[in-house]
């Protein structure tokens, strides 16, 4: 088996996939569209604005990854920021359902 070939198997494909800026740009566009949808459809509720803040944090993490997705420490910090945004969004979404 030749393990030096590019994209040999699923793991190599995912590794190459994660080193592309286009992937993170598409994720940023999706998050921005979701934040825009929440802005247009909300009636300025405090809980929805907290979700928008969480989406903004996720966008900041993805923006940091886009700087250079091939450097591990930058990608790790971006992932951790995005994870914090997801945790905040889940907490605030849970508060929305509590009413």
């Amino acid at each position: 088996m030749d393990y030096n070939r590019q994209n040999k198997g699923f793991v190599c494909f995912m590794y190459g996939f994660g080193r592309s800026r286009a992937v993170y740009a598409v994720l940023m566009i999706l998050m921005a569209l979701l934040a825009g949808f929440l802005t247009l459809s909300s009636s300025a509720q405090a809980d929805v604005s907290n979700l928008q803040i969480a989406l903004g944090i996720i966008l900041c993490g993805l923006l940091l990854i886009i700087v250079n997705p091939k450097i591990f420490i930058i990608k790790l910090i971006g992932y951790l920021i995005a994870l914090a945004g997801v945790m905040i969004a889940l907490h605030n979404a849970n508060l929305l359902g509590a009413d």
Side-chain angles (χ1 to χ4, degrees), residues 34-88:
L34 183 59
F37 175 73
L38 284 174
T39 301
L40 294 176
S41 67
S42 71
S43 59
Q45 297 174 352
D47 293 331
V48 174
S49 69
N50 287 338
L51 284 175
Q52 291 170 337
I53 291 169
L55 287 173
I57 293 171
I58 294 170
L59 283 170
C60 290
L62 291 172
L63 182 66
L64 184 64
I65 293 171
I66 283 182
V67 168
N68 193 348
K70 295 179 182 176
I71 297 177
F72 175 74
I73 194 70
I74 292 175
K75 193 187 297 187
L76 178 66
I77 293 169
Y79 281 152
L80 292 176
I81 291 171
L83 179 65
V86 168
M87 294 169 88
I88 292 168

Side-chain angles (χ1 to χ4, degrees), residues 1-14:
M1 296 180 78
D2 184 15
Y3 289 105
N4 292 325
R5 268 192 340 186
Q6 289 295 326
N7 293 330
K8 173 83 173 145
F10 181 74
V11 174
C12 292
F13 170 75
M14 292 305 294

Side-chain angles (χ1 to χ4, degrees), residues 11-25:
V11 174
C12 292
F13 170 75
M14 292 305 294
Y15 177 74
F17 188 70
R19 292 174 59 95
S20 171
R21 285 187 176 140
V23 175
Y24 300 105

